[in-house]
Amino acid sequence: MERTAPAAPPDGSSPDDRLPDVAVLLDGMPRQRSAAAETTVEPREVEPREAATTVPARRFDVRRGRRLFPTPTGTPFTFGYGAVLVAVSLVSARLSPALVHTLHQGSSTDVAHLVRTPMLVLAASALWIAGGILSPYAVALLFVLTALERRIGGMRTAAVFLLGHVGATLATEGPVGVAVLAGHLPASSLHRLDYGVSFGVAASLGALAGLLRPWLRWPLLALFGWELATDLIAFTDPLTDWGHPIALLTGIATWPLVRRWHHERHPQPADQVLAGPS
């Protein structure tokens, strides 16, 4: 059959005026929803999207956790130096106590050795960890040097470590030599046993504190300062007890320098630079 147009109504109105409103019927057809109806469906997409973003967030946290430990490519100085310290500790654990004591004496940064072979003993004394590889200073060396090297680089971290190691050693052993010459100390004081990495670690921690946020910087310095003050009160080893605060202050004195190194290695946006160091 052929389709024919409907006849005009007798009242003279147009055919479109007598047709029912089909807007409601169109709402029930597929792909004919209004914009308001589409917005009501949108919350159904939120839950899967949030679940999908949780995986990258966890991976990001894992990567940040790995940055706390040294790696051959990320922190070559800390990784290499730590490997040497571990090797020396493992080898010395298999040697006789008498031989280890002889090696410690040969590496001691006492006045007698500093006068004869200063460079040799300053380098050799930094290969031993007083208290063993699981001592607090060994653990602090691992995390402090790693954090500092990631911020200012390997060569500069080594410079800060050596500055504290050498500076605090000379600052404590120099007065001993003067006191012996003046007759205030016996000649046996020129051969006191002195070795370890603690002076370098203290200086590195002091330098690292200048690159941390204030909420972490000042509690860290207060905690470490309290430990050093406790040692001074006990006064079991006067030279070493005074050497640690000297090394810490040496590291703090490098704040302007290490902050400049940090900005050179990790440039910040202009608005953060104008805000000043954190």
PDB file of all heavy atoms in Angstrom, residues 152-175:
ATOM      1  N   ILE A 152      73.354  16.368  46.366  1.00  0.00           N
ATOM      2  CA  ILE A 152      74.462  17.235  45.940  1.00  0.00           C
ATOM      3  C   ILE A 152      75.485  16.504  45.076  1.00  0.00           C
ATOM      4  O   ILE A 152      76.405  17.146  44.558  1.00  0.00           O
ATOM      5  CB  ILE A 152      75.173  17.863  47.157  1.00  0.00           C
ATOM      6  CG1 ILE A 152      75.852  16.787  48.006  1.00  0.00           C
ATOM      7  CG2 ILE A 152      74.193  18.674  47.988  1.00  0.00           C
ATOM      8  CD1 ILE A 152      76.688  17.367  49.146  1.00  0.00           C
ATOM      9  N   GLY A 153      75.380  15.191  44.915  1.00  0.00           N
ATOM     10  CA  GLY A 153      76.326  14.471  44.073  1.00  0.00           C
ATOM     11  C   GLY A 153      77.382  13.737  44.876  1.00  0.00           C
ATOM     12  O   GLY A 153      77.599  13.995  46.071  1.00  0.00           O
ATOM     13  N   GLY A 154      78.074  12.805  44.214  1.00  0.00           N
ATOM     14  CA  GLY A 154      79.032  11.941  44.889  1.00  0.00           C
ATOM     15  C   GLY A 154      80.306  12.642  45.319  1.00  0.00           C
ATOM     16  O   GLY A 154      80.750  12.505  46.467  1.00  0.00           O
ATOM     17  N   MET A 155      80.940  13.404  44.444  1.00  0.00           N
ATOM     18  CA  MET A 155      82.195  14.073  44.764  1.00  0.00           C
ATOM     19  C   MET A 155      82.011  15.091  45.887  1.00  0.00           C
ATOM     20  O   MET A 155      82.857  15.203  46.782  1.00  0.00           O
ATOM     21  CB  MET A 155      82.767  14.744  43.518  1.00  0.00           C
ATOM     22  CG  MET A 155      83.141  13.774  42.405  1.00  0.00           C
ATOM     23  SD  MET A 155      84.432  12.612  42.915  1.00  0.00           S
ATOM     24  CE  MET A 155      85.796  13.730  43.196  1.00  0.00           C
ATOM     25  N   ARG A 156      80.908  15.804  45.848  1.00  0.00           N
ATOM     26  CA  ARG A 156      80.661  16.802  46.887  1.00  0.00           C
ATOM     27  C   ARG A 156      80.327  16.143  48.227  1.00  0.00           C
ATOM     28  O   ARG A 156      80.706  16.657  49.284  1.00  0.00           O
ATOM     29  CB  ARG A 156      79.533  17.728  46.443  1.00  0.00           C
ATOM     30  CG  ARG A 156      79.935  18.598  45.240  1.00  0.00           C
ATOM     31  CD  ARG A 156      78.745  19.255  44.594  1.00  0.00           C
ATOM     32  NE  ARG A 156      79.152  20.161  43.520  1.00  0.00           N
ATOM     33  CZ  ARG A 156      78.314  20.797  42.728  1.00  0.00           C
ATOM     34  NH1 ARG A 156      77.002  20.617  42.868  1.00  0.00           N
ATOM     35  NH2 ARG A 156      78.756  21.605  41.784  1.00  0.00           N
ATOM     36  N   THR A 157      79.640  15.021  48.190  1.00  0.00           N
ATOM     37  CA  THR A 157      79.377  14.280  49.422  1.00  0.00           C
ATOM     38  C   THR A 157      80.676  13.771  50.029  1.00  0.00           C
ATOM     39  O   THR A 157      80.877  13.839  51.253  1.00  0.00           O
ATOM     40  CB  THR A 157      78.431  13.109  49.141  1.00  0.00           C
ATOM     41  OG1 THR A 157      77.196  13.606  48.633  1.00  0.00           O
ATOM     42  CG2 THR A 157      78.162  12.311  50.406  1.00  0.00           C
ATOM     43  N   ALA A 158      81.563  13.260  49.186  1.00  0.00           N
ATOM     44  CA  ALA A 158      82.870  12.818  49.673  1.00  0.00           C
ATOM     45  C   ALA A 158      83.648  13.981  50.288  1.00  0.00           C
ATOM     46  O   ALA A 158      84.344  13.811  51.298  1.00  0.00           O
ATOM     47  CB  ALA A 158      83.658  12.186  48.536  1.00  0.00           C
ATOM     48  N   ALA A 159      83.525  15.171  49.701  1.00  0.00           N
ATOM     49  CA  ALA A 159      84.226  16.336  50.233  1.00  0.00           C
ATOM     50  C   ALA A 159      83.707  16.706  51.615  1.00  0.00           C
ATOM     51  O   ALA A 159      84.492  17.030  52.522  1.00  0.00           O
ATOM     52  CB  ALA A 159      84.085  17.513  49.265  1.00  0.00           C
ATOM     53  N   VAL A 160      82.381  16.671  51.801  1.00  0.00           N
ATOM     54  CA  VAL A 160      81.804  16.982  53.113  1.00  0.00           C
ATOM     55  C   VAL A 160      82.235  15.940  54.139  1.00  0.00           C
ATOM     56  O   VAL A 160      82.599  16.274  55.283  1.00  0.00           O
ATOM     57  CB  VAL A 160      80.274  17.048  53.011  1.00  0.00           C
ATOM     58  CG1 VAL A 160      79.640  17.183  54.398  1.00  0.00           C
ATOM     59  CG2 VAL A 160      79.846  18.214  52.128  1.00  0.00           C
ATOM     60  N   PHE A 161      82.205  14.670  53.749  1.00  0.00           N
ATOM     61  CA  PHE A 161      82.613  13.597  54.664  1.00  0.00           C
ATOM     62  C   PHE A 161      84.073  13.768  55.085  1.00  0.00           C
ATOM     63  O   PHE A 161      84.408  13.691  56.275  1.00  0.00           O
ATOM     64  CB  PHE A 161      82.405  12.246  53.986  1.00  0.00           C
ATOM     65  CG  PHE A 161      82.751  11.065  54.850  1.00  0.00           C
ATOM     66  CD1 PHE A 161      81.794  10.495  55.678  1.00  0.00           C
ATOM     67  CD2 PHE A 161      84.033  10.520  54.832  1.00  0.00           C
ATOM     68  CE1 PHE A 161      82.118   9.406  56.478  1.00  0.00           C
ATOM     69  CE2 PHE A 161      84.357   9.441  55.621  1.00  0.00           C
ATOM     70  CZ  PHE A 161      83.396   8.869  56.448  1.00  0.00           C
ATOM     71  N   LEU A 162      84.950  14.002  54.122  1.00  0.00           N
ATOM     72  CA  LEU A 162      86.369  14.167  54.442  1.00  0.00           C
ATOM     73  C   LEU A 162      86.617  15.429  55.259  1.00  0.00           C
ATOM     74  O   LEU A 162      87.503  15.449  56.120  1.00  0.00           O
ATOM     75  CB  LEU A 162      87.185  14.207  53.146  1.00  0.00           C
ATOM     76  CG  LEU A 162      87.299  12.878  52.396  1.00  0.00           C
ATOM     77  CD1 LEU A 162      88.058  13.071  51.090  1.00  0.00           C
ATOM     78  CD2 LEU A 162      87.978  11.822  53.256  1.00  0.00           C
ATOM     79  N   LEU A 163      85.848  16.473  55.006  1.00  0.00           N
ATOM     80  CA  LEU A 163      86.010  17.707  55.779  1.00  0.00           C
ATOM     81  C   LEU A 163      85.728  17.453  57.256  1.00  0.00           C
ATOM     82  O   LEU A 163      86.476  17.921  58.128  1.00  0.00           O
ATOM     83  CB  LEU A 163      85.072  18.783  55.235  1.00  0.00           C
ATOM     84  CG  LEU A 163      85.124  20.138  55.949  1.00  0.00           C
ATOM     85  CD1 LEU A 163      86.494  20.772  55.787  1.00  0.00           C
ATOM     86  CD2 LEU A 163      84.040  21.071  55.405  1.00  0.00           C
ATOM     87  N   GLY A 164      84.660  16.710  57.540  1.00  0.00           N
ATOM     88  CA  GLY A 164      84.365  16.394  58.931  1.00  0.00           C
ATOM     89  C   GLY A 164      85.364  15.426  59.518  1.00  0.00           C
ATOM     90  O   GLY A 164      85.786  15.567  60.683  1.00  0.00           O
ATOM     91  N   HIS A 165      85.753  14.412  58.740  1.00  0.00           N
ATOM     92  CA  HIS A 165      86.689  13.400  59.226  1.00  0.00           C
ATOM     93  C   HIS A 165      88.051  14.001  59.542  1.00  0.00           C
ATOM     94  O   HIS A 165      88.611  13.790  60.628  1.00  0.00           O
ATOM     95  CB  HIS A 165      86.818  12.290  58.178  1.00  0.00           C
ATOM     96  CG  HIS A 165      87.811  11.230  58.517  1.00  0.00           C
ATOM     97  ND1 HIS A 165      87.632  10.335  59.546  1.00  0.00           N
ATOM     98  CD2 HIS A 165      89.012  10.916  57.951  1.00  0.00           C
ATOM     99  CE1 HIS A 165      88.657   9.508  59.609  1.00  0.00           C
ATOM    100  NE2 HIS A 165      89.511   9.844  58.654  1.00  0.00           N
ATOM    101  N   VAL A 166      88.579  14.766  58.615  1.00  0.00           N
ATOM    102  CA  VAL A 166      89.908  15.354  58.801  1.00  0.00           C
ATOM    103  C   VAL A 166      89.854  16.514  59.785  1.00  0.00           C
ATOM    104  O   VAL A 166      90.708  16.636  60.676  1.00  0.00           O
ATOM    105  CB  VAL A 166      90.475  15.812  57.445  1.00  0.00           C
ATOM    106  CG1 VAL A 166      91.811  16.527  57.625  1.00  0.00           C
ATOM    107  CG2 VAL A 166      90.645  14.610  56.518  1.00  0.00           C
ATOM    108  N   GLY A 167      88.851  17.373  59.625  1.00  0.00           N
ATOM    109  CA  GLY A 167      88.787  18.552  60.479  1.00  0.00           C
ATOM    110  C   GLY A 167      88.624  18.221  61.950  1.00  0.00           C
ATOM    111  O   GLY A 167      89.330  18.771  62.810  1.00  0.00           O
ATOM    112  N   ALA A 168      87.703  17.314  62.280  1.00  0.00           N
ATOM    113  CA  ALA A 168      87.490  16.959  63.679  1.00  0.00           C
ATOM    114  C   ALA A 168      88.685  16.198  64.241  1.00  0.00           C
ATOM    115  O   ALA A 168      89.024  16.336  65.434  1.00  0.00           O
ATOM    116  CB  ALA A 168      86.223  16.115  63.817  1.00  0.00           C
ATOM    117  N   THR A 169      89.357  15.402  63.411  1.00  0.00           N
ATOM    118  CA  THR A 169      90.546  14.682  63.879  1.00  0.00           C
ATOM    119  C   THR A 169      91.661  15.651  64.248  1.00  0.00           C
ATOM    120  O   THR A 169      92.276  15.539  65.329  1.00  0.00           O
ATOM    121  CB  THR A 169      91.040  13.710  62.789  1.00  0.00           C
ATOM    122  OG1 THR A 169      90.026  12.742  62.530  1.00  0.00           O
ATOM    123  CG2 THR A 169      92.298  12.996  63.238  1.00  0.00           C
ATOM    124  N   LEU A 170      91.934  16.596  63.371  1.00  0.00           N
ATOM    125  CA  LEU A 170      92.983  17.574  63.670  1.00  0.00           C
ATOM    126  C   LEU A 170      92.610  18.476  64.839  1.00  0.00           C
ATOM    127  O   LEU A 170      93.479  18.867  65.637  1.00  0.00           O
ATOM    128  CB  LEU A 170      93.267  18.414  62.423  1.00  0.00           C
ATOM    129  CG  LEU A 170      93.811  17.654  61.203  1.00  0.00           C
ATOM    130  CD1 LEU A 170      94.031  18.608  60.038  1.00  0.00           C
ATOM    131  CD2 LEU A 170      95.089  16.911  61.547  1.00  0.00           C
ATOM    132  N   ALA A 171      91.324  18.794  64.951  1.00  0.00           N
ATOM    133  CA  ALA A 171      90.884  19.675  66.039  1.00  0.00           C
ATOM    134  C   ALA A 171      91.007  19.008  67.405  1.00  0.00           C
ATOM    135  O   ALA A 171      91.160  19.705  68.417  1.00  0.00           O
ATOM    136  CB  ALA A 171      89.444  20.115  65.800  1.00  0.00           C
ATOM    137  N   THR A 172      90.936  17.690  67.454  1.00  0.00           N
ATOM    138  CA  THR A 172      91.042  16.993  68.730  1.00  0.00           C
ATOM    139  C   THR A 172      92.456  16.504  69.020  1.00  0.00           C
ATOM    140  O   THR A 172      92.893  16.498  70.174  1.00  0.00           O
ATOM    141  CB  THR A 172      90.075  15.794  68.763  1.00  0.00           C
ATOM    142  OG1 THR A 172      90.284  14.973  67.597  1.00  0.00           O
ATOM    143  CG2 THR A 172      88.640  16.268  68.778  1.00  0.00           C
ATOM    144  N   GLU A 173      93.177  16.080  67.980  1.00  0.00           N
ATOM    145  CA  GLU A 173      94.523  15.566  68.210  1.00  0.00           C
ATOM    146  C   GLU A 173      95.549  16.690  68.326  1.00  0.00           C
ATOM    147  O   GLU A 173      96.583  16.527  68.998  1.00  0.00           O
ATOM    148  CB  GLU A 173      94.933  14.632  67.068  1.00  0.00           C
ATOM    149  CG  GLU A 173      94.117  13.363  66.987  1.00  0.00           C
ATOM    150  CD  GLU A 173      94.328  12.441  68.168  1.00  0.00           C
ATOM    151  OE1 GLU A 173      95.329  12.628  68.901  1.00  0.00           O
ATOM    152  OE2 GLU A 173      93.504  11.531  68.353  1.00  0.00           O
ATOM    153  N   GLY A 174      95.308  17.828  67.683  1.00  0.00           N
ATOM    154  CA  GLY A 174      96.248  18.948  67.790  1.00  0.00           C
ATOM    155  C   GLY A 174      96.462  19.409  69.219  1.00  0.00           C
ATOM    156  O   GLY A 174      97.626  19.543  69.662  1.00  0.00           O
ATOM    157  N   PRO A 175      95.403  19.659  69.992  1.00  0.00           N
ATOM    158  CA  PRO A 175      95.618  20.061  71.388  1.00  0.00           C
ATOM    159  C   PRO A 175      96.350  19.012  72.216  1.00  0.00           C
ATOM    160  O   PRO A 175      97.049  19.366  73.180  1.00  0.00           O
ATOM    161  CB  PRO A 175      94.190  20.274  71.901  1.00  0.00           C
ATOM    162  CG  PRO A 175      93.399  20.605  70.694  1.00  0.00           C
ATOM    163  CD  PRO A 175      93.999  19.781  69.599  1.00  0.00           C
TER     164      PRO A 175
END
